[in-house]
Amino acid sequence: MLITVTGGIGSGKTRFALKYAAGISREGVYLSTGDHDPVIPELPSAHYRAIHAGNGQHLTEVITQINRESNLFSADQRIVIVDSLTSWMAAGFRATEDLDHQRSETQLLLDALLSYQGKLLVITNEMHGTLHPTEEERIFTARMASVNRMLQIHAEKMYMLVSGLAIDLKSQGMRNEDER
């Protein structure tokens, strides 16, 4: 089961995601991403653990390893939370100037996320452009938006946070133009 939580910076995505996760799973793994110092929020219970997955291929490897080592019969009892996909992609863009390499790394991560066999909650930022973006900003925004669209196609649930208010997009009958 794939769940996505999206919204702007500071909209309350992580707080909402952890509260939501605690409501559907007794235990979980919180994966902090990116090349920043990990900010680990207060986890819902002692049955949740935090891992700083970092940037680069490491996040893909961590998700693949968790998926490989998971007991399929107990997968419904645990949730993996990725916070955040946007941070991971931004770190990848800063780490390499080879856009084809970054694209392939993103595809590998997307494949790992979409093949995950248990409950997976992915936190990502809603992408907004600027008036005069650099070429790198334009490429990053377009790629992140594309990844978000791919996730929403596969997500069973999708929430958007606006100023701490969660909007359940899937129950609103929102549909991607490609699905019509």
Side-chain angles (χ1 to χ4, degrees), residues 102-139:
Q102 200 282 329
R103 179 184 294 127
S104 67
E105 291 296 318
T106 301
Q107 187 59 53
L108 288 172
L109 177 60
L110 197 53
D111 292 344
L113 293 171
L114 295 178
S115 67
Y116 188 75
Q117 296 296 311
K119 294 177 187 171
L120 178 67
L121 192 152
V122 177
I123 300 170
T124 181
N125 285 40
E126 191 59 29
M127 298 313 312
H128 304 286
T130 62
L131 292 176
H132 303 287
T134 65
E135 183 66 10
E136 182 182 56
E137 290 170 329
R138 188 190 65 71
I139 291 169

Side-chain angles (χ1 to χ4, degrees), residues 1-8 11-21 23-24 79 120-126 148 151-152 155-162 164-172 174:
M1 172 204 273
L2 174 62
I3 304 151
T4 60
V5 175
T6 188
S11 62
K13 297 179 300 290
T14 300
R15 178 177 288 165
F16 171 81
L18 289 171
K19 186 174 182 181
Y20 184 87
I24 64 170
I79 190 165
L120 178 67
L121 192 152
V122 177
I123 300 170
T124 181
N125 285 40
E126 191 59 29
N148 284 349
L151 287 174
Q152 81 77 21
E156 189 172 311
K157 302 251 182 207
M158 183 174 193
Y159 297 92
M160 176 180 268
L161 272 283
V162 178
L165 177 66
I167 303 164
D168 183 346
L169 296 177
K170 292 282 186 169
S171 74
Q172 296 291 323
M174 303 288 182

Side-chain angles (χ1 to χ4, degrees), residues 42 48 51 58 63-64 78 111-112 156:
E42 185 175 329
Y48 278 71
I51 298 172
H58 192 63
I63 291 171
T64 301
R78 179 179 63 191
D111 292 344
E156 189 172 311

Side-chain angles (χ1 to χ4, degrees), residues 8-72:
I9 295 171
S11 62
K13 297 179 300 290
T14 300
R15 178 177 288 165
F16 171 81
L18 289 171
K19 186 174 182 181
Y20 184 87
I24 64 170
S25 286
R26 206 172 79 63
E27 59 186 68
V29 178
Y30 175 83
L31 299 175
S32 173
T33 67
D35 61 355
H36 53 77
D37 289 333
V39 177
I40 307 298
E42 185 175 329
L43 299 175
S45 74
H47 298 286
Y48 278 71
R49 65 184 172 120
I51 298 172
H52 179 60
N55 60 357
Q57 293 180 348
H58 192 63
L59 178 60
T60 303
E61 293 166 2
V62 169
I63 291 171
T64 301
Q65 180 179 352
I66 291 170
N67 197 23
R68 190 173 37 245
E69 294 175 357
S70 291
N71 178 341
L72 289 177

